[in-house]
Amino acid sequence: MTRTVTTRRLTGLKPTGEPHLGILLGAIQPMVRDQYTSDATVFLADLHALTAAHEPRTLRETTLRHATVLLAAGLDPDRTVFYVQSQVPDHAELHFLLERTAARGRAAYPVLQASDILLHDTAEVPVGADQRPRVALTRDIAMRFNQRYGPTFVVPEPVTPTVAARVMDLANPTVKMGQTTSSASGAIGLLDPPALVTRKLSRAVTETDGIIAYDPAARPGVSNLLEILAACVGGTPVEIGTALRGYGDLRRATTEAVLGLLGPLRARFETLARDPGYVRQVLAEGAERARSRTAETVFRAKRAIGVLA
Ligand code: AMP
């Protein structure tokens, strides 16, 4: 087997808010695309969503909604180990053990994230530039533990996703789509009706001189539409830009591509959402598969530390 087939990759998504186009193009699509060439694990990080004030019922609903969206987008639970973090208690146990041993002075949230990664003997963590420091902290904790208690954890590497789309807010293309500062009209919800998607894209801010060039710093509006279009249909924003004649053309092509991507996703979501028992069952089976791996890691860590394991 080649290295890529067996490399273990882990992605955690916080199940809060409404899933939007940025998450689909920046995180879910690469995950779906890579799931057959890597040993992929994906979990919904509901324990990370507890630090912000939250409504218990809403958390439950959005967790199930995010799970349904991921399955509708093509995540294959037979291939990817897919589960909800709180259903695998080993996350909490390893977090506690690391807090007691290797993470002195670190804030709790990044230590839980380090535990999530180390629990799976993860070799690669696909992350954007902004998340690299988190992986660096995980490496630090793992190396400190290994030095003190003997080789126990795999030290993970951060990797850049194969499609590194960075989707910006349509109304304010200098902030990322979905950030708290971004606006309702600037984010496309994955379950938005087609007319709303069309309206949002028709009002997307562009520059005014009619020039189509991919230059995110100088031309954030046009570049964002090119980036979205490229991530939907394949190819690079620069190549795609050369084939377009004007802003009308760019908007039409982007709208068509986004509707083409979201149509089937929405249809599959509606089918799956009629059977929440099935989605819960998929998650329960995923948690079971995850536990068979993570229990082993916790056992190794406990034995290394010296508690009776
Ligand atoms: P978050 O919900 O912000 O934790 O993001 C979940 C995943 O989606 C992370 O991998 C982010 O990098 C990715 N993501 C979120 N927003 C965007 C965006 N506007 N463009 C590209 N990727 C994004």
Side-chain angles (χ1 to χ4, degrees), residues 46-288:
D46 59 343
L47 297 176
H48 287 278
L50 301 180
T51 40
H54 73 280
E55 193 58 52
R57 202 173 69 126
T58 310
L59 178 63
R60 247 188 319 270
E61 283 169 5
T62 54
T63 301
L64 205 54
R65 191 171 170 84
H66 276 74
T68 310
V69 163
L70 283 163
L71 294 173
L75 193 100
D76 176 354
D78 287 331
R79 175 70 214 177
T80 298
V81 177
F82 177 45
Y83 68 98
V84 176
Q85 187 184 28
S86 60
Q87 295 188 342
V88 176
D90 294 324
H91 284 269
E93 184 161 13
L94 187 59
H95 179 206
F96 181 79
L97 294 173
L98 292 181
E99 289 280 3
R100 304 302 297 160
T101 53
R104 258 161 240 126
R106 310 290 194 180
Y109 175 89
V111 180
L112 177 56
Q113 203 172 39
S115 315
D116 299 337
I117 296 170
L118 299 180
L119 203 47
H120 285 278
D121 293 333
T122 307
E124 295 185 346
V125 191
V127 281
D130 47 341
Q131 286 276 325
R132 281 184 171 250
R134 289 287 174 76
V135 183
L137 170 66
T138 304
R139 290 172 58 84
D140 212 44
I141 288 176
M143 288 188 285
R144 196 185 315 179
F145 188 104
N146 288 348
Q147 227 158 42
R148 170 129 189 241
Y149 300 107
T152 306
F153 295 124
V154 172
V155 180
E157 298 283 343
V159 294
T160 307
T162 47
V163 179
R166 189 169 144 83
V167 180
M168 309 306 277
D169 187 283
L170 298 175
N172 178 8
T174 56
V175 301
K176 252 171 82 166
M177 183 181 286
Q179 272 178 350
T180 42
T181 43
S182 91
S183 53
S185 61
I188 293 182
L190 296 182
L191 304 170
D192 280 356
L196 183 58
V197 172
T198 304
R199 189 158 70 237
K200 286 175 180 176
L201 281 165
S202 72
R203 292 184 188 160
V205 167
T206 58
E207 287 61 52
T208 52
D209 57 13
I211 296 172
I212 294 189
Y214 184 69
D215 181 351
R219 301 180 169 279
V222 164
S223 300
N224 190 33
L225 293 181
L226 287 170
E227 179 110 32
I228 291 172
L229 179 54
C232 289
V233 300
T236 70
V238 174
E239 274 163 24
I240 281 176
T242 57
L244 294 164
R245 283 181 304 282
Y247 291 169
D249 215 14
L250 172 60
R251 272 182 216 283
R252 261 192 309 278
T254 309
T255 304
E256 197 182 307
V258 171
L259 290 175
L261 190 66
L262 297 189
L265 189 155
R266 205 172 32 248
R268 279 195 297 270
F269 177 89
E270 277 161 16
T271 307
L272 287 166
R274 274 185 232 122
D275 192 359
Y278 165 77
V279 178
R280 281 174 179 264
Q281 181 61 28
V282 164
L283 293 170
E285 285 168 12
E288 201 56 50

